[in-house]
Amino acid sequence: MKTCHRFDRIKAGFEKDVHFLRGHAERHVGSPAAKTSAKHAVSVKRNMARALNTHLARCRECG
């Protein structure tokens, strides 16, 4: 599937956030902050999927 540059930019931004949150969770294993970061990473991935699906539905280049 061919996607536009905006799709790639949206995806990259979300992946950066997920990577940061997972890295924090791995560095601070067992702490309450790590558990919160891991939960937020899952939430951000869900939001990424929602944002990308919405983009695909509306974008003329991707669709």
Side-chain angles (χ1 to χ4, degrees):
M1 170 174 59
K2 185 176 178 185
T3 56
C4 68
H5 69 281
R6 187 164 182 228
F7 179 93
D8 296 333
R9 194 173 48 208
I10 293 168
K11 185 176 179 183
F14 276 108
E15 287 177 343
K16 178 181 157 189
D17 293 343
V18 169
H19 181 70
F20 175 79
L21 290 166
R22 284 186 177 166
H24 181 268
E26 289 174 5
R27 284 190 304 275
H28 302 283
V29 175
S31 71
K35 292 176 185 175
T36 301
S37 287
K39 288 179 185 177
H40 282 202
V42 170
S43 170
V44 169
K45 279 197 76 141
R46 189 178 311 121
N47 290 342
M48 176 178 67
R50 186 178 302 125
L52 293 176
N53 282 331
T54 300
H55 174 82
L56 286 173
R58 295 180 178 172
C59 182
R60 291 181 182 167
E61 288 183 51
C62 294

